[in-house]
């Protein structure tokens, strides 16, 4: 690694310094100037907006190919690659109307293309939609995306599911950094929140080509908020109240930017009491709280952009398990018994260097995670857990010289993970070391202007070593795998787009699956050191139609998984009578489809409907665990730009229908269907010359009594959350 870094720093002598400027005018098809159009260069973290004459200007740009994004509500997003060869260039843009939806730029895929230009299926969710969802956690908010669901033990302990796969079959990224939070169990959530992000990108399907092992089912990437506009210091205060959990959520952020330097800081707090179901009965120990702090600094020069981030999260999550029921006899807020005490520090640096026609991304990160399980005073000390997981990761990607029709990228990635048990003798997993290294290459080529193809190949090597313990033999295993992907998008005409992609992916068995031999939560789990790597082969097909006021999207997928790793109960029991669960492997398949329609027949009315269908089973037709119910969602939204002193007013009503899950896995039971009705209202108002955004969201408006199939409280006969009214306040402000 040191050799690569040295080569990159020697390259500083080759940088070309410049004072390039681009400017121009942005109009609509009637040649009318557009005001407040966002002009942004993602790689440079640099942007501006047009004035009343539609004029924009960006200075201090490198002599290197860069992508400029033009976005404006009600118009098609435009992305153009420019290669500046002189000090001052004039580039004008004409935008076409697109009332139904803006096409967003995706940064989780290698070439930062528009959604419509990616062969890989990617969905986006903006931070404003997350805040207005009325959800107490980030993971619950993204389940509004078709094909995304969650495994939950109440409102605080949640795990994402993408097209039927979860745990270490999917990755969650914090601004491109793989999160490592002991995610091998449904009771171990990712340590991340929604504060300080701009939007979320969800890759559906295998993504090992981009991210290596564990990206079999897909990737969730939380993208950081953009820096403040140049020459300004701005901030925002956000607050929420949840009626059901008596929950308070608050966060405050401030950020500033000068010509070359930018910075930001944000802190947040969440605190929720035990939730109540539709019978108004509280569910014991589903309380949780979390503190967080986010800071960043950045430097932008013509030869490169350099970013340093620090994220701190400290959640305490109540665990609703059998032993805690006699101890928690009334609704409360503070976790006292049987709770996870988690700490996460993430230091990351994301940098881009411009070397004439080359761009080099150099990213490094260090994570320090601690997981404690606090039980209760009546339990002996050995039932407590205290583990440290430290991860160093690095990535170097080189964007080779490109043309209007072709783009190429090569890179390396690597990581070292160390798990260490501290004084608490209960070792869920042993002391272990995991080393990763990979090399990959990707290419995109455009034929006939309408057919865009993407292809790539990747090689990964992983070494896993563990320490021997009294009830666990030492593990010393090496794994290596190739991953490939090939796909295309075809723009048949202005309205129809076809997308297809074939991808292979893999996942090595994790340390828990290889080594566990003891009680984990409420069951006895036994690992299998003979497990092989899991292989996935998925094909995706989709067709997309849009006109000025209508969008239709239909996608289907079929994922064949060889040596699928899962845990299941056996007929064996321990001496104390606990049933033994063992990890095993089998060939399996998961297939399904998603349908989305978005219609805006009038400027003030938006209609949205989506349906997700999924089947997961072994090749012997036995069903796979944690396969969600098929779900239909609808949303009707009324908007008005101005009503008296109110601006950006909206009212919405929506619902979710989950069909009966009558094909459970061998250790699951059937789950009845249910219907939830939701509604919301919001607006912006001026108060003492200050703009204030307020909204109220009511989830489960009819106070339905129900249990979701992926609720791990189902076995304890606890229902999901009842009616919850969420009031949200946002106050943006300018300091300079």
């Amino acid at each position: 690694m040191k050799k690569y870094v040295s080569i990159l720093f020697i390259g500083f002598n080759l940088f070309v310094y410049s004072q390039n400027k681009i400017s121009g005018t942005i109009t609509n098809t009637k040649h009318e100037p557009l005001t407040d159009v966002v002009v942004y260069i993602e790689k440079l973290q640099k942007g501006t907006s047009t004035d009343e004459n539609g004029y924009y200007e960006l200075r201090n740009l490198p002599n290197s190919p860069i992508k400029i994004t033009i976005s404006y509500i009600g118009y098609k997003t435009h992305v153009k690659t420019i290669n500046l060869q002189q000090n001052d260039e004039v580039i004008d843009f004409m935008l076409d109307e697109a009332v139904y939806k803006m096409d967003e730029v995706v940064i989780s895929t290698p070439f930062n293309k528009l959604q419509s230009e990616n062969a890989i299926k990617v969905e986006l969710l903006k931070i404003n939609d997350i805040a207005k969802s009325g959800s107490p956690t980030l993971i619950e908010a993204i389940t509004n995306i078709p094909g995304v669901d969650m495994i939950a033990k109440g409102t605080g302990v949640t795990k994402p599911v993408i097209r039927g796969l979860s745990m270490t079959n999917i990755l969650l990224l914090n601004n491109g950094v793989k999160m490592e939070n002991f995610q091998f169990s449904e009771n171990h959530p990712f340590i991340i929140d929604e504060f300080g992000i701009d939007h979320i990108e969800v890759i559906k399907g295998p993504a090992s080509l981009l991210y290596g092992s564990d990206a079999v089912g897909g990737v969730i990437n939380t993208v950081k908020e953009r820096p403040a506009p140049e020459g300004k210091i701005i901030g925002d205060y956000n607050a929420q109240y949840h009626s059901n959990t008596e929950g308070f959520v608050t966060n405050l952020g401030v950020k500033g930017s000068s010509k070359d330097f930018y910075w930001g800081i944000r802190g947040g707090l969440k605190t929720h009491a035990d939730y109540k179901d539709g019978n108004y009965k509280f569910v014991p120990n589903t309380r949780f709280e979390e503190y967080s702090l986010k800071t960043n600094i950045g430097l932008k020069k013509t030869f490169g952009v350099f970013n340093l981030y620090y994220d701190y999260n400290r959640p305490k999550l109540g665990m609703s398990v059998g032993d805690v029921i006699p101890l928690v006899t009334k609704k409360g807020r503070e976790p006292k018994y049987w709770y996870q005490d988690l700490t996460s520090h993430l230091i990351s640096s994301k940098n881009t260097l411009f070397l004439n026609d080359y761009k080099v991304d150099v990213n490094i990160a260090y994570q320090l995670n601690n997981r404690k399980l606090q039980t209760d005073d009546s339990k002996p000390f050995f039932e407590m857990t205290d583990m440290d997981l430290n991860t160093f990761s690095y990535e170097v990607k080189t964007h080779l010289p490109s043309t209007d029709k072709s783009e190429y990228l090569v890179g390396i990635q690597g990581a070292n993970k160390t798990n260490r048990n501290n004084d608490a003798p209960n070792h869920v997993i042993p002391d272990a070391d995991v080393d990763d290294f990979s090399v990959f290459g990707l290419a995109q080529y455009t034929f006939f202007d309408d057919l865009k193809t993407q292809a790539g190949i990747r090689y990964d090597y992983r070494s896993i070593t563990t320490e021997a313990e009294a009830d666990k033999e030492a593990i010393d295993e090496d794994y290596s795998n190739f991953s490939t992907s090939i796909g295309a998008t075809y723009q048949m005409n202005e309205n129809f787009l076809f997308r297809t992609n074939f991808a292979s992916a893999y996942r090595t068995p994790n340390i828990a699956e290889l080594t566990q031999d003891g009680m984990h939560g409420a069951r006895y789990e036994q690992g299998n050191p003979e497990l092989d790597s899991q292989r996935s082969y998925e094909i995706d097909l989709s067709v997309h139609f849009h006109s000025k006021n209508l969008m239709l999207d239909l996608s289907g997928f079929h994922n064949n998984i060889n040596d699928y790793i899962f845990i299941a109960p056996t007929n064996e029991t321990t001496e104390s009578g606990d049933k033994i669960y063992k990890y095993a492997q089998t060939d399996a398949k998961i297939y399904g489809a998603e349908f989305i329609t978005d219609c805006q027949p009038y400027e003030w009315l938006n209609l949205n409907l989506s349906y997700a269908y999924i089947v997961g089973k072994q090749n012997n037709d036995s069903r796979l665990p944690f396969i969600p119910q098929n779900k239909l969602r609808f949303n009707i939204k009324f908007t008005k730009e101005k009503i008296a002193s109110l601006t950006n007013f909206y009212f919405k009503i929506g619902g979710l229908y989950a069909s009966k899950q009558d094909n459970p896995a061998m250790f699951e039971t059937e789950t009845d269907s249910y219907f939830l009705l939701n509604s919301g209202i919001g607006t912006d108002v001026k108060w003492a010359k200050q703009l204030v955004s307020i909204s109220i969201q009511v989830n489960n408006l009819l106070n339905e009594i129900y249990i979701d199939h992926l609720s791990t409280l189902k076995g304890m006969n606890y229902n999901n959350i009842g009616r919850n009214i969420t009031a949200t306040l946002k106050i943006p402000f300018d300091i300079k």
Side-chain angles (χ1 to χ4, degrees):
M1 176 59 194
K2 291 181 179 178
K3 179 177 71 174
Y4 292 108
V5 176
S6 298
I7 292 173
L8 290 170
F9 277 105
I10 291 172
F12 271 111
N13 294 320
L14 303 176
F15 293 155
V16 176
Y17 291 81
S18 60
Q19 295 295 323
N20 292 327
K21 182 187 80 171
I22 61 170
S23 61
T25 302
I26 300 177
T27 62
N28 59 21
T29 53
K30 298 178 182 178
H31 303 287
E32 299 168 335
L34 297 175
T35 305
D36 294 327
V37 178
V38 176
V39 183
Y40 198 75
I41 302 174
E42 187 72 42
K43 281 293 183 182
L44 297 180
Q45 296 280 283
K46 189 182 187 74
T48 186
S49 57
T50 55
D51 61 18
E52 64 275 9
N53 298 314
Y55 178 78
Y56 76 93
E57 182 178 288
L58 287 170
R59 294 179 175 271
N60 303 317
L61 304 179
N63 278 339
S64 179
I66 53 176
K67 289 182 179 178
I68 183 171
T69 302
I70 313 297
S71 57
Y72 192 53
I73 294 176
Y75 289 80
K76 295 180 181 178
T77 299
H78 194 94
V79 178
K80 182 178 179 64
T81 300
I82 57 175
N83 194 348
L84 300 177
Q85 299 298 330
Q86 59 188 38
N87 289 336
D88 193 353
E89 289 194 18
V90 177
I91 304 176
D92 297 329
F93 294 92
M94 182 181 293
L95 302 186
D96 296 319
E97 286 190 57
V99 175
Y100 79 93
K101 191 176 183 180
M102 282 202 305
D103 196 7
E104 301 278 1
V105 175
V106 175
I107 69 172
S108 299
T109 52
F111 300 113
N112 299 154
K113 296 288 187 179
L114 292 169
Q115 286 173 288
S116 60
E117 297 176 327
N118 276 289
I120 302 171
K121 184 71 172 177
V122 185
E123 301 283 358
L124 278 81
L125 190 65
K126 302 292 285 184
I127 184 60
N128 287 339
D129 296 324
I130 296 172
K132 295 173 182 177
S133 68
S135 302
T137 65
L138 174 66
I139 299 303
E140 182 176 327
I142 65 175
T143 60
N144 290 314
I145 297 174
V148 181
D149 222 294
M150 70 174 182
I151 302 167
K153 186 180 283 294
T155 51
V157 181
T158 57
K159 297 282 290 190
V161 179
I162 301 176
R163 288 181 169 176
L165 289 173
S166 56
M167 313 311 169
T168 49
N169 285 300
I170 65 174
L171 289 176
L172 192 146
L173 311 180
N174 184 336
N175 206 35
V177 179
K178 298 180 188 178
M179 299 300 293
E180 298 290 347
N181 301 138
F182 305 103
Q183 59 263 33
F184 56 82
S185 165
E186 65 268 24
N187 293 330
H188 299 169
F190 289 104
I191 307 176
I192 195 167
D193 59 42
E194 64 275 22
F195 302 151
I197 69 171
D198 178 77
H199 67 276
I200 292 177
E201 298 179 359
V202 178
I203 298 177
K204 299 179 183 178
S208 287
L209 179 65
L210 303 175
Y211 299 105
S213 177
D214 302 352
V216 174
V219 173
I220 300 170
N221 187 16
T222 62
V223 180
K224 294 284 190 184
E225 62 183 323
R226 291 176 173 179
E230 191 172 300
K232 290 189 175 182
I233 299 176
I234 62 175
D236 58 84
Y237 172 75
N238 303 268
Q240 274 189 346
Y241 175 73
H242 296 257
S243 66
N244 188 291
T245 61
E246 300 173 10
F248 294 94
V249 180
T250 182
N251 77 89
L252 173 66
V254 180
K255 57 185 178 181
S257 179
S258 62
K259 175 184 174 183
D260 298 325
F261 181 76
Y262 50 92
W263 56 272
I265 184 169
R266 182 176 295 274
L269 165 67
K270 294 182 179 181
T271 172
H272 290 264
D274 305 316
Y275 79 81
K276 295 179 293 185
D277 66 13
N279 287 316
Y280 300 101
K281 295 180 180 178
F282 86 96
V283 179
N285 215 40
T286 53
R287 61 195 69 179
F288 69 97
E289 63 183 35
E290 182 173 10
Y291 300 89
S292 69
L293 175 68
K294 318 271 177 82
T295 64
N296 73 283
I297 57 174
L299 180 68
K300 47 190 175 183
K301 290 290 187 178
T302 55
F303 56 81
V305 179
F306 309 91
N307 294 280
L308 182 65
Y309 303 93
Y310 170 67
D311 289 26
Y312 168 78
N313 287 81
R314 181 70 186 277
K316 293 183 179 180
L317 310 170
M319 301 291 292
S320 189
V321 296
D323 287 345
V324 83
I325 306 306
L327 303 173
V328 180
T329 57
K330 60 181 181 179
K331 184 174 181 177
R333 182 179 303 275
E334 181 185 358
K336 293 181 178 180
Y337 312 106
W338 284 94
Y339 67 92
Q340 297 182 58
D341 186 356
L342 309 177
T343 304
S344 173
H345 302 270
L346 171 60
I347 304 170
S348 60
S349 179
K350 295 176 67 70
N351 313 286
T352 299
L353 310 175
F354 300 104
L355 294 84
N356 293 330
D357 291 338
Y358 293 82
K359 291 195 299 288
V360 181
D361 296 329
V362 183
N363 306 321
I364 59 174
Y366 188 66
Q367 299 177 62
L368 301 90
N369 292 285
N370 176 261
R371 179 178 184 270
K372 292 185 177 73
L373 176 62
Q374 308 288 355
T375 56
D376 63 81
D377 296 339
S378 67
K379 295 293 178 182
F381 180 67
F382 65 80
E383 294 210 10
M384 297 178 65
T385 300
D386 186 357
M387 293 189 295
D388 288 326
L389 177 62
N390 298 333
T391 305
F392 171 74
S393 59
Y394 61 89
E395 176 184 62
V396 180
K397 296 187 297 187
T398 301
H399 299 257
L400 304 177
S402 61
T403 67
D404 290 339
K405 292 183 175 293
S406 63
E407 291 187 72
Y408 307 95
L409 180 150
V410 295
I412 61 170
Q413 290 176 344
N416 170 258
K417 292 179 279 189
T418 61
N419 181 78
R420 296 294 183 265
N421 289 277
N422 296 316
D423 292 337
N426 183 26
H427 296 183
V428 177
I429 57 177
D431 291 353
D433 291 271
V434 180
D435 289 293
D436 290 333
F437 179 78
S438 64
V439 58
F440 57 93
L442 302 98
Q444 176 167 295
Y445 192 83
T446 301
F447 297 89
F448 322 118
D449 294 329
D450 299 320
L451 178 62
K452 300 181 185 296
T453 59
Q454 296 176 2
I457 188 168
R458 178 190 181 105
Y459 172 77
D460 282 270
Y461 171 81
R462 170 171 286 183
S463 171
I464 300 178
T465 58
T466 70
E467 296 290 332
E469 295 188 350
D471 55 349
K472 300 181 179 73
E473 294 185 1
I475 297 290
D476 188 358
E477 294 288 345
D478 296 334
Y479 303 88
S480 59
N481 291 273
F482 280 96
S483 302
T484 58
S485 177
I486 183 169
T489 59
Y490 176 60
Q491 189 82 45
M492 187 176 74
N493 55 41
E494 188 180 64
N495 302 111
F496 278 98
L497 174 75
F498 295 90
R499 178 190 286 114
T500 183
N501 191 65
F502 173 79
S504 66
Y506 79 100
R507 177 174 80 82
T508 66
N510 60 51
I511 298 170
E513 294 164 341
L514 293 169
T515 66
Q516 271 191 300
D517 192 7
M519 292 299 296
H520 185 208
R523 67 190 185 196
Y524 192 97
E525 298 182 356
Q526 196 169 84
N528 181 357
E530 303 301 321
L531 294 174
D532 294 322
S533 291
Q534 178 179 295
R535 295 289 306 180
S536 172
Y537 303 91
E538 179 169 316
I539 185 167
D540 290 82
L541 297 169
S542 69
V543 58
H544 176 92
F545 168 84
H546 70 266
S547 61
K548 181 178 179 180
N549 301 92
L550 176 67
M551 183 274 289
L552 300 172
D553 193 280
L554 175 64
S555 58
F557 65 94
H558 193 286
N559 192 355
N560 279 313
I561 308 174
N562 297 337
D563 296 318
Y564 176 79
I565 302 172
F566 66 103
I567 191 169
T570 67
N571 294 323
E572 303 174 38
T573 60
T574 64
E575 293 182 358
S576 58
D578 294 303
K579 183 181 285 290
I580 296 177
Y581 287 70
K582 286 187 176 181
Y583 286 98
Q585 289 187 294
T586 185
D587 292 343
K589 52 182 174 281
I590 301 177
Y591 57 89
E594 294 137 17
F595 172 74
I596 305 172
T597 178
D598 193 280
C599 177
Q600 190 153 350
Y602 305 101
E603 184 179 349
W604 49 269
L605 177 63
N606 179 264
L607 309 172
N608 182 275
L609 179 73
S610 67
Y611 180 68
Y613 168 81
I614 187 168
V615 175
K617 54 186 178 181
Q618 303 175 35
N619 283 1
N620 63 6
D621 282 341
S622 296
R623 298 293 169 153
L624 296 180
F626 294 121
I627 298 298
Q629 297 158 272
N630 299 327
K631 292 182 177 178
L632 174 72
R633 296 178 184 271
F634 72 90
N635 196 61
I636 304 171
K637 187 175 183 179
F638 304 89
T639 60
K640 188 71 173 177
E641 187 174 345
K642 192 168 183 62
I643 300 178
S645 60
L646 306 179
T647 58
N648 300 320
F649 173 85
Y650 74 88
F651 170 75
K652 63 178 181 178
I653 187 165
L656 162 65
Y657 174 75
S659 62
K660 182 178 181 179
Q661 176 55 284
D662 52 8
N663 291 299
M666 65 180 76
F667 58 94
E668 298 176 338
T669 58
E670 292 187 358
T671 303
D672 289 335
S673 62
Y674 64 85
F675 174 74
L676 304 179
L677 188 65
N678 308 312
S679 65
I681 189 171
T683 188
D684 296 338
V685 297
K686 278 285 186 70
W687 179 55
K689 298 184 179 180
Q690 174 64 55
L691 183 68
V692 177
S693 297
I694 55 175
S695 65
I696 297 175
Q697 174 75 22
V698 186
N699 290 342
N700 194 1
L701 180 65
L702 304 179
N703 209 27
E704 178 80 3
I705 302 167
Y706 74 101
I707 300 177
D708 188 83
H709 186 67
L710 300 189
S711 170
T712 60
L713 296 179
K714 183 182 177 185
M716 300 176 68
N717 295 317
Y718 286 128
N719 296 312
N720 281 66
I721 189 171
R723 183 188 299 115
N724 182 42
I725 303 172
T726 304
T728 301
L729 171 71
K730 180 176 182 178
I731 306 176
F733 55 86
D734 292 339
I735 297 177
K736 178 183 178 182

